[in-house]
Amino acid sequence: MEIQTSIRKQDDIIVFTITDREVTHNNSASLKEKLFLEIADGNKQIVLDMLNVKEMDSSGLGALLFGKRQANNAGGNVVFVSENPHVQTMIRIAQLSHVFEFYPTVEDALKSF
């Protein structure tokens, strides 16, 4: 299943918004592909807006980690926007709090670059 997203560019930063309510095994491969294609196109500074995401499983977490790693390998970064307790709990359980940078708003995330 293809994940629903919207993408806009602000200066040299991509704001990649997930419009689906979930990032799970059903659509995580699609997310990985979309992130890979953006980074391959030279868009290595990414704000991943997850404010619409209400559910995430380990496959979704793997997709986030993949995108982060790909951007870092290209000399860029992915930062995340989400205040959803479920998403935050997944990050803590996986002990990845030190890997992911979360911001409450897209504007705050943009300022981090």
Side-chain angles (χ1 to χ4, degrees):
M1 175 186 293
E2 185 172 342
I3 194 162
Q4 300 302 309
T5 62
S6 67
I7 298 170
R8 69 179 168 92
K9 194 165 190 171
Q10 185 161 329
D11 300 319
D12 62 343
I13 303 168
I14 293 294
V15 178
F16 189 106
T17 302
I18 299 173
T19 56
D20 276 347
R21 293 182 49 81
E22 64 180 44
V23 180
T24 64
H25 65 281
N26 292 324
N27 58 10
S28 61
S30 173
L31 176 59
K32 286 168 75 170
E33 180 182 358
K34 287 183 177 195
L35 286 170
F36 177 81
L37 292 173
E38 284 299 323
I39 295 163
D41 281 345
N43 299 312
K44 55 188 179 180
Q45 305 291 9
I46 299 174
V47 171
L48 188 56
D49 178 357
M50 299 175 53
L51 289 173
N52 296 316
V53 176
K54 304 300 179 213
E55 295 291 327
M56 185 171 68
D57 66 10
S58 60
S59 297
L61 186 59
L64 300 184
L65 194 56
F66 171 84
K68 174 89 169 152
R69 191 174 321 123
Q70 292 296 313
N72 290 155
N73 289 344
N77 196 18
V78 176
V79 298
F80 303 87
V81 178
S82 176
E83 291 187 322
N84 183 300
H86 179 73
V87 172
Q88 300 294 330
T89 299
M90 287 289 297
I91 301 297
R92 276 194 308 281
I93 289 172
Q95 298 181 358
L96 293 170
S97 299
H98 64 284
V99 174
F100 295 112
E101 299 170 61
F102 276 90
Y103 295 90
T105 68
V106 170
E107 292 73 26
D108 289 334
L110 288 168
K111 291 175 189 173
S112 74
F113 286 98

